[in-house]
Amino acid sequence: MSTNQPAPGAAEHARGEGTPDARQLRTILIAVSIALMAVIASVSGLNVAQTHMAVEFSASQSTILWIINTYTLALAALLLPLGAIGDRLGRKPTLIAGLGVFGVASVAAGLAPTAEVMIAARLVSGIGAAMIMPITLAVITSTFPEEQRGKAIGVWTGVAGGGGILGMFLSALLVDVADWRWLFVLPVALVVVALAMTLRSVPNSRERSGHAFDTVGALISAVAVVGLIFVLQEGPERGWTAAVTLISLAVGLIAGIGFVVWELRRRDASLLDVRLFRERGLAGGSITLLVVFGVQAGIAVVLFPFFQAVLDWSGLLSTVAMMPMAVMMMMTSGLAPTLAARIGARSTMATGIALAALGLALMAMFVSVDGGYLSILPGMLAMGTGMGLSMTPSTEAITSSLSREKQGVASALNDVTRELGTALGVAMLGALLSAGYRNAIDDRLDGIPRGAADTAREGIANAAEVAPSTGSHAQSLLHAAQQSFVDGWQQAMWSGVAVMGALFVYVALRGPKKTTPAAPSHDAEASEPAPAR
């Protein structure tokens, strides 16, 4: 089955006099990129302010994690439903509404007097973000002509991939020079700029479907995503065998299976036609993004403790140290479409995956306490290059697998895959690092007082905190913790290499041969981009 051919009697996507010119297309791309940056920066920005919020709100670590994770849960759960609604109601009004909701909620979060108000504001921010994120990509795929679409998707992918690290850098800078509440100035400022540019330049497009909106599918998909991401976020904190973790896993899996069954029944009237996963483009692109974003997120979990606890760097300096990888990722995301046009999407994806695996291997082989930052820099650069090359053709493979009028859903699927991959990578690589650290430090605690040794087993940050209380054992305990962290690091990195190796084989055998834009189906309304006002 192929969705890339027009149905009998399909109407062409009309592009008459209102077709944007080159200057308008650049403005549109800048507008949606700024809107996307606001959303991405808010995903990771609050991580640098955890201790400040805990002190100001007198909140537990669990409450602080809820402040951070509520945003991600709301965003991931509502991406598919709101992406589909945006297709029907119009992508421009949906983007405008999302920016408005997100901006107001960000202001409320910045002024929140209590942790409870903060959690509520973050929940609403996540709803606004779920309106923004899929529409930004859908605007690109429904507006840009075929010959320019790949490069525009490359820019979008670069912002989506590197924007989180850039957002963390700016957030850490604001926390260092001002106050943690100033973190919300950045997304609000981005929203204001994006809103002004959207009102002026972004064209509208929408789907006119002969089928009723798949409300049941939307609800089931939200339950499935919340259940699975909750497990990945809370499992390390609450325990993988805790009742709430197991219940959430069961709910997520049952809802996921129920969603597939329901969508197969709905067929052409479904929220997401799951039959499309039989095709190489959608399946290969989704699996690649799931793994690549999982590894990227897991790497961040490993890198920051290395910078802060092993090298004793500040949060701001640690974020700066991540920038070379982000820069390489953003640069190669823009170059990937040109390479894909020459050697094919599958070869480009496979090359990127191989480079990312090489980066992980280099970090595993050469990381050391004495070698410091330079021992991992080559691996970071290779990792960033590989991820940039693999993400752009994967995104284009997903969006080109669904018809033009379903681009909100295609974009949302792309985003859900990223969110699931991120949560999975953090949980899995974080768990591997912790297990490797505990196993390694057990053999290095001879002579350390029992209480201090028990504390040191909990993690390298705990070891650094308790070391001064051990007197003459302080340096040996600290050195043991640092070496054990490096051992855990290597275990996590080699596991990442194995995962990327399996992905390489899959893409080489089953990856998309070519990414071609999908034609609109018979029930699509011709989308006429309006001229800039």
Side-chain angles (χ1 to χ4, degrees):
M1 180 185 68
S2 174
T3 60
N4 290 345
Q5 299 298 324
E12 289 299 320
H13 213 64
R15 292 185 179 277
E17 297 179 354
T19 301
D21 57 23
R23 181 178 179 182
Q24 288 173 300
L25 289 174
R26 285 194 297 271
T27 304
I28 292 167
L29 182 57
I30 293 171
V32 297
S33 296
I34 292 173
L36 177 64
M37 176 62 78
V39 171
I40 297 297
S42 293
V43 172
S44 55
L46 277 186
N47 285 324
V48 302
Q50 291 189 44
T51 55
H52 299 81
M53 290 189 294
V55 171
E56 182 153 341
F57 293 140
S58 299
S60 66
Q61 180 63 23
S62 176
T63 300
I64 298 303
L65 289 177
W66 269 109
I67 291 174
I68 294 171
N69 292 339
T70 296
Y71 175 85
T72 307
L73 282 172
L75 169 61
L78 297 175
L79 280 168
L80 271 178
L82 292 179
I85 289 173
D87 283 335
R88 289 170 174 256
L89 298 183
R91 294 174 182 118
K92 180 172 182 174
T94 302
L95 180 56
I96 291 171
L99 288 168
V101 170
F102 183 85
V104 171
S106 296
V107 171
L111 300 175
T114 65
E116 291 74 19
V117 173
M118 174 66 83
I119 291 174
R122 292 285 286 175
L123 175 65
V124 178
S125 293
I127 296 172
M131 299 169 72
I132 295 168
M133 196 171 183
I135 298 303
T136 56
L137 182 56
V139 166
I140 291 174
T141 55
S142 63
T143 302
F144 278 71
E146 178 182 347
E147 63 273 12
Q148 300 181 48
R149 196 173 304 143
K151 292 182 179 179
I153 290 176
V155 172
W156 186 95
T157 304
V159 173
I165 297 174
L166 181 59
M168 288 193 70
F169 164 69
L170 295 174
S171 299
L173 181 62
L174 286 171
V175 169
D176 274 14
V177 303
D179 183 80
W180 72 268
R181 291 185 181 274
W182 282 83
L183 293 177
F184 297 97
V185 171
L186 174 62
V188 170
L190 292 173
V191 162
V192 171
V193 175
L195 187 56
M197 296 184 71
T198 298
L199 288 168
R200 179 176 178 82
S201 303
V202 173
N204 190 27
S205 60
R206 70 184 181 93
E207 166 200 4
R208 186 170 60 195
S209 175
H211 305 290
F213 180 72
D214 186 7
T215 305
V216 174
L219 292 174
I220 298 175
S221 72
V223 172
V225 171
V226 168
L228 294 175
I229 289 187
F230 181 86
V231 169
L232 296 172
Q233 289 181 342
E234 297 294 318
E237 181 75 14
R238 299 172 182 264
W240 295 107
T241 58
V244 66
T245 305
L246 295 176
I247 291 172
S248 181
L249 177 61
V251 169
L253 291 176
I254 292 171
I257 295 170
F259 177 74
V260 172
V261 173
W262 176 259
E263 297 302 280
L264 287 173
R265 287 183 56 191
R266 293 272 298 184
R267 299 178 69 83
D268 293 337
S270 61
L271 179 72
L272 172 65
D273 190 349
V274 295
R275 296 172 297 173
L276 296 176
F277 283 97
R278 298 170 185 167
E279 297 190 2
R280 291 188 175 194
L282 190 60
S286 298
I287 292 173
T288 299
L289 284 184
L290 181 77
V291 174
V292 169
F293 266 82
V295 171
Q296 179 200 22
I299 291 302
V301 170
V302 174
L303 283 176
F304 275 98
F306 178 78
F307 294 145
Q308 294 180 305
V310 176
L311 303 185
D312 197 25
W313 288 0
S314 67
L316 179 59
L317 185 57
S318 299
T319 309
V320 172
M322 292 280 288
M323 292 302 291
M325 186 169 72
V327 170
M328 293 303 299
M329 189 189 312
M330 297 177 79
M331 288 176 57
T332 52
S333 292
L335 296 174
T338 302
L339 184 61
R342 292 181 179 178
I343 66 173
R346 177 164 57 179
S347 297
T348 304
M349 290 166 63
T351 300
I353 293 165
L355 283 172
L358 174 63
L360 290 169
L362 289 173
M363 287 191 281
M365 288 188 292
F366 296 115
V367 62
S368 68
V369 177
D370 296 333
Y373 184 60
L374 292 180
S375 69
I376 63 169
L377 182 58
M380 289 175 59
L381 295 175
M383 182 79 187
T385 302
M387 292 179 64
L389 289 178
S390 60
M391 289 189 301
T392 300
S394 299
T395 296
E396 194 170 3
I398 293 174
T399 57
S400 64
S401 296
L402 275 73
S403 56
R404 181 69 57 81
E405 73 277 6
K406 289 285 188 181
Q407 286 305 295
V409 174
S411 304
L413 176 62
N414 175 80
D415 299 334
V416 169
T417 302
R418 291 166 181 262
E419 294 298 326
L420 284 172
T422 297
L424 183 62
V426 169
M428 298 306 294
L429 287 184
L432 286 170
L433 174 64
S434 298
Y437 170 85
R438 286 193 297 269
N439 291 336
I441 201 171
D442 280 340
D443 298 328
R444 296 185 170 117
L445 294 176
D446 292 341
I448 304 297
R450 182 173 180 178
D454 290 340
T455 300
R457 288 188 182 95
E458 296 175 8
I460 188 170
N462 305 82
E465 184 177 356
V466 77
S469 66
T470 60
S472 60
H473 297 291
Q475 284 301 318
S476 60
L477 176 57
L478 190 59
H479 181 72
Q482 291 173 338
Q483 291 294 339
S484 299
F485 182 89
V486 168
D487 290 346
W489 166 300
Q490 291 174 317
Q491 179 175 316
M493 293 299 101
W494 285 122
S495 298
V497 171
V499 171
M500 295 298 279
L503 178 62
F504 176 83
V505 173
Y506 171 81
V507 169
L509 296 176
R510 295 289 303 168
K513 295 180 179 179
K514 183 179 180 182
T515 49
T516 55
S521 66
H522 63 282
D523 61 355
E525 175 187 29
S527 175
E528 300 182 5
R533 294 195 298 270

